[in-house]
Amino acid sequence: MLFFIAKRLVGVVITLFVIITLSFLIIRITPGSPFSQERDVPVEVLEALKAKYGFDKPLHKQYFQYIGNVVKGDLGLSIKYSNRTVNEIIKISLPKTMQIGFLALIWAILVGFVGGAIAAVKQNTKWDYGLMSIAMCGISIPPLVSGPLLILVFALALPWFPTSGWGSWKHVVLPSISLGSVYAAYIARLTRGGMLEVIRSNYIRTARAKGLSEKAVVVKHALKGGILPVVTFLGPAVASIMVGSVVVEKIFNTPGMGPYFVDAAFNRDYFLLMGVVIVYAVFLLLLNLLVDIAYGFIDPRIRFE
Amino acid sequence: MSLLKISDLRTYFKMEGNVVKAVDGVDFELEKGEIVGIVGESGSGKSVTCLSIMKLIPEPPGFYPTGSIEFMGKDLMKLNTKQMSKIRGNQISMIFQDPMSSLNPFLTVETQLTEVLEIHQNKTRKEAQKIAIDILERVGIANAPRRIKQFPHEFSGGMRQRVMIAMALLCRPELLIADEPTTALDVTIQAQILELMKDLNRDFGTSIIFITHNMGVVAGMTDRIVVMYAGKMVEKASTSDLFETPKHPYTNALLSSIPRLDIDDQGSLTPIPGLPPDLSDLPSGCSFHPRCKFADDQCKAAYPDRIELSKDRMAACWKVNV
Ligand SMILES: Nc1ncnc2c1ncn2[C@@H]1O[C@H](COP(=O)(O)OP(=O)(O)OP(=O)(O)O)[C@@H](O)[C@H]1O
Ligand SMILES: [Mg+2]
């Protein structure tokens, strides 16, 4: 088990290295420069700026220097916010993104799993049809649509939550729901499918034959098998939630990492862009590892090798 | 009074407009300590009969148009789910055809065994664990205190079937239903499991309904036999009568398809020609007539009456007295 985790961690580091290298290349090879917007800058000033960020050196030198800094935990200076380091910006914005992302994930798992399980247990009843229709709607409404809708209803028509910004727990609710709903819907459908398959299986018949109550059959014998497809889905789901959070943060004007990511891309803010990419990548890789470990804990037939 | 008395049991399934008559008129009785065999080809309704006794048929699509199942003075057909679950695993237990998929892969053997005692006998986990280990040893699982902590996938097929048998016996049920308990196992393991079941019947006086499509297996196990064909009971007799003087041509055909060690000439082994009918599209008259070498116009026209040949001896065939 520990060996498995260690092995996977080595894999994470290697993948991360490849990601950093590729994004460095892509970002630097695409035309444009961080300073191209400032038209009337004298040549001397431009040269001085380039020297400040090390852009006067050959690309491979810059690359090795950057890698060296990243290993030390230094993500460099932002170009647009010229007196702030990338570390500083991420330190302030990452927790906000994480709050929204995790809340969205938890909401998606809770609602999706409970809804899906109820639909499966009450297959072909009003409950099943109702829940699955809601799920169908959920899947077809992406955050780009659900965000403004939620603002219209729960911030403007009914003034329960603020429309945008950051500050109290109330600011987190609408963005998380908007972000999580699609995944709640997916998870509900997956859970229903998984549970139905389990409920038809021989070992559930055995559980009934033992005299267990219907509730015990579901809770003790069916849930574990039914949750497996959901766990498998969590890896990709986390990835898309992260991407989705960029959109949601823009809509709700949340000072998370999303807006920085978009702006950095437009402004050619090389180091900030790289920093955000690295943080996203680390998260994704670690969460995927976590999912694999969870899978092994749920299913005893899986051996960690 | 007999332990179990099944009368006119019918179990149908509603499938896309037509009705599949999986069990269509089964009657038999079982005394305490007796072993009754149910035989018939695949699809003849053996498993559905047993699942009906346990009331484990999914409803819908399944339903019971007629029938009563009297068990220790109660009609199981009249019980609700809650009353039924007090009987399941406690007074009537069942062992299934496929031991590989019948245990929950996500729970340890211990959890799966002890929960039976916890629900039916209010035992604590500790007491239940002790009983479970004893019974695992009894069914021939070596190293039971260690093995009980393992998951099903760590057991071989034969061992899993032993675990299933142990699970079924935890509450010392009056009745054990064994649905082809050895079909999925290889021959030497089969013999061991059959031996084990005979021992348990002798030592605990557990009555057994033993299902198989292998006539060779029932010969050494059972006191009486029910023969099923396409959902209907076609013959019923004591094991010795059935083997010595089979009355129904289908029974006869089943018997001559057993490989026998005492006859050298393997050429005499004749599989039954043709296939069992589609239950939603049964032939007219006797369902067996298309495959029966004695069939005539009468057999095609009407389903034969049941002929009571003696007490506990019945055959449903126009040609019984021929
Ligand atoms: N849940 C169900 N829904 C619809 N039809 C069913 C269902 N269960 C069983 N049947 C039908 O009932 C018929 C009898 O099946 P059953 O399982 O009792 O046969 P069997 O005698 O046990 O055969 P085998 O030797 O293969 O186990 C089959 O034709 C099957 O299609
Ligand atoms: Mg069967």
Side-chain angles (χ1 to χ4, degrees):
Chain A
M1 176 74 194
L2 278 177
F3 180 70
F4 166 81
I5 296 176
K7 215 172 90 181
R8 285 290 307 266
L9 280 175
V10 173
V12 165
V13 171
I14 294 172
T15 318
L16 203 55
F17 178 76
V18 173
I19 291 175
I20 293 176
T21 307
L22 283 180
S23 10
F24 186 89
L25 281 177
I26 292 169
I27 291 173
R28 290 326 247 320
I29 285 170
T30 42
S33 120
F35 313 114
S36 53
Q37 283 152 334
E38 292 148 58
R39 262 167 278 139
D40 297 328
V41 185
V43 181
E44 309 84 75
V45 178
L46 205 62
E47 289 306 316
L49 271 174
K50 281 191 175 166
K52 179 180 170 194
Y53 294 103
F55 296 151
D56 51 346
K57 298 200 189 84
L59 197 59
H60 68 271
K61 278 230 173 91
Q62 291 183 40
Y63 170 73
F64 287 118
Q65 192 180 6
Y66 183 70
I67 293 282
N69 287 342
V70 170
V71 172
K72 277 183 267 166
D74 175 9
L75 295 173
L77 280 172
S78 163
I79 298 165
K80 179 160 178 236
Y81 310 94
S82 47
N83 43 8
R84 295 170 70 188
T85 64
V86 174
N87 289 40
E88 243 172 57
I89 294 176
I90 286 177
K91 207 171 137 194
I92 294 171
S93 60
L94 178 64
K96 293 164 189 155
T97 296
M98 276 188 26
Q99 273 184 47
I100 292 180
F102 271 105
L103 217 69
L105 193 63
I106 287 170
W107 142 260
I109 294 173
L110 272 184
V111 171
F113 191 69
V114 172
I118 292 175
V121 171
K122 305 204 179 282
Q123 193 199 357
N124 294 337
T125 63
K126 287 188 293 226
W127 285 89
D128 184 16
Y129 298 137
L131 284 165
M132 283 305 113
S133 313
I134 297 174
M136 204 53 229
C137 296
I139 284 176
S140 33
I141 305 178
L144 199 60
V145 179
S146 68
L149 275 180
L150 285 171
I151 293 179
L152 267 178
V153 179
F154 296 106
L156 298 175
L158 305 164
W160 295 348
F161 297 100
T163 52
S164 62
W166 192 256
S168 70
W169 63 270
K170 282 189 172 177
H171 289 91
V172 190
V173 175
L174 293 186
S176 309
I177 292 179
S178 163
L179 182 55
S181 301
V182 175
Y183 304 96
Y186 271 116
I187 289 175
R189 284 162 50 120
L190 274 175
T191 308
R192 179 179 181 271
M195 288 286 287
L196 279 182
E197 201 173 311
V198 170
I199 285 172
R200 280 195 218 105
S201 73
N202 283 345
Y203 65 82
I204 293 301
R205 190 180 56 188
T206 306
R208 294 210 172 96
K210 286 199 269 192
L212 265 66
S213 68
E214 206 47 32
K215 197 176 130 213
V217 169
V218 172
V219 174
K220 202 168 170 191
H221 284 264
L223 280 189
K224 263 195 170 177
I227 209 172
L228 275 186
V230 178
V231 174
T232 320
F233 172 69
L234 282 186
V238 167
S240 341
I241 282 185
M242 284 182 143
V243 176
S245 77
V246 174
V247 176
V248 169
E249 285 171 17
K250 268 279 178 198
I251 296 173
F252 288 90
N253 212 355
T254 311
M257 282 209 315
Y260 284 108
F261 184 60
V262 178
D263 291 347
F266 279 121
N267 297 328
R268 298 284 188 300
D269 195 339
Y270 290 154
F271 295 120
L272 183 54
L273 191 55
M274 282 297 294
V276 176
V277 167
I278 291 172
V279 170
Y280 274 141
V282 168
F283 253 93
L284 262 181
L285 291 169
L286 288 184
L287 279 168
N288 268 313
L289 175 59
L290 215 64
V291 165
D292 284 356
I293 294 172
Y295 204 92
F297 268 110
I298 295 174
D299 191 343
R301 289 167 298 187
I302 304 230
R303 294 252 171 75
F304 293 110
E305 278 150 20
Chain B
M1 193 185 68
S2 44
L3 180 72
L4 179 76
K5 184 169 192 286
I6 298 176
S7 320
D8 199 27
L9 175 68
R10 285 169 212 269
T11 310
Y12 295 178
F13 293 95
K14 232 189 202 101
M15 304 298 284
E16 288 144 20
N18 61 19
V19 170
V20 175
K21 300 180 176 180
V23 174
D24 199 20
V26 166
D27 309 65
F28 65 91
E29 287 180 43
L30 184 70
E31 304 296 333
K32 194 159 172 42
E34 232 185 353
I35 306 184
V36 165
I38 302 182
V39 296
E41 285 167 294
S42 190
S44 53
K46 306 182 298 290
S47 297
V48 174
T49 303
C50 296
L51 290 170
S52 304
I53 298 173
M54 292 288 270
K55 299 282 287 297
L56 282 175
I57 296 289
E59 297 171 68
F63 63 103
Y64 310 97
T66 67
S68 71
I69 301 168
E70 263 171 64
F71 175 73
M72 296 173 70
K74 272 180 284 199
D75 184 358
L76 302 187
M77 280 294 176
K78 298 207 170 76
L79 301 188
N80 62 27
T81 317
K82 204 166 164 199
Q83 294 165 319
M84 200 56 219
S85 55
K86 289 214 177 80
I87 292 179
R88 288 182 194 144
N90 190 13
Q91 291 165 312
I92 308 180
S93 293
M94 187 155 178
I95 307 170
F96 295 98
Q97 201 156 347
D98 181 9
M100 304 312 269
S101 64
S102 292
L103 290 166
N104 190 330
F106 304 110
L107 302 176
T108 61
V109 166
E110 174 171 335
T111 309
Q112 300 189 54
L113 289 176
T114 51
E115 68 179 353
V116 182
L117 293 159
E118 282 163 20
I119 49 175
H120 291 304
Q121 301 187 345
N122 288 320
K123 294 264 193 277
T124 64
R125 182 75 180 223
K126 253 214 148 66
E127 295 165 334
Q129 193 187 21
K130 199 181 156 299
I131 299 172
I133 289 174
D134 283 348
I135 211 140
L136 280 181
E137 278 167 352
R138 178 69 187 74
V139 299
I141 291 189
N143 229 332
R146 188 178 61 85
R147 297 287 268 168
I148 198 170
K149 302 279 181 207
Q150 295 181 329
F151 288 94
H153 72 269
E154 296 169 81
F155 289 73
S156 67
M159 284 296 161
R160 281 190 223 184
Q161 198 58 297
R162 283 171 200 264
V163 171
M164 285 296 294
I165 294 175
M167 187 187 285
L169 292 175
L170 280 168
C171 295
R172 294 284 166 85
E174 304 336 291
L175 172 61
L176 177 67
I177 302 176
D179 186 358
E180 310 202 35
T182 59
T183 315
L185 307 175
D186 64 51
V187 184
T188 42
I189 310 288
Q190 262 187 35
Q192 290 170 11
I193 298 282
L194 294 178
E195 213 43 55
L196 172 64
M197 299 204 24
K198 268 193 275 187
D199 288 352
L200 296 169
N201 165 257
R202 195 184 50 232
D203 298 349
F204 301 151
T206 316
S207 309
I208 301 178
I209 296 179
F210 191 92
I211 298 176
T212 177
H213 53 244
N214 183 343
M215 285 297 246
V217 170
V218 274
M221 280 287 292
T222 57
D223 302 306
R224 288 185 301 120
I225 293 175
V226 172
V227 183
M228 289 187 69
Y229 185 76
K232 293 197 167 68
M233 187 170 80
V234 295
E235 183 162 5
K236 185 166 72 172
S238 72
T239 306
S240 52
D241 284 349
L242 193 93
F243 275 80
E244 277 157 28
T245 55
K247 293 293 182 188
H248 198 287
Y250 178 59
T251 313
N252 227 326
L254 282 177
L255 285 173
S256 53
S257 63
I258 315 175
R260 288 177 61 167
L261 292 175
D262 53 337
I263 298 175
D264 250 358
D265 175 20
Q266 292 293 323
S268 66
L269 205 170
T270 42
I272 309 173
L275 288 171
D278 177 358
L279 288 179
S280 56
D281 184 22
L282 287 174
S284 64
C286 172
S287 335
F288 188 58
H289 86 254
R291 302 169 74 188
C292 180
K293 56 186 172 199
F294 306 107
D296 59 16
D297 288 344
Q298 187 185 25
C299 303
K300 285 176 199 159
Y303 195 84
D305 295 329
R306 288 180 178 179
I307 299 178
E308 303 287 338
L309 296 153
S310 62
K311 189 183 176 298
D312 285 338
R313 176 111 219 233
M314 181 287 286
C317 175
W318 293 118
K319 306 289 174 204
V320 161
N321 297 316
V322 178

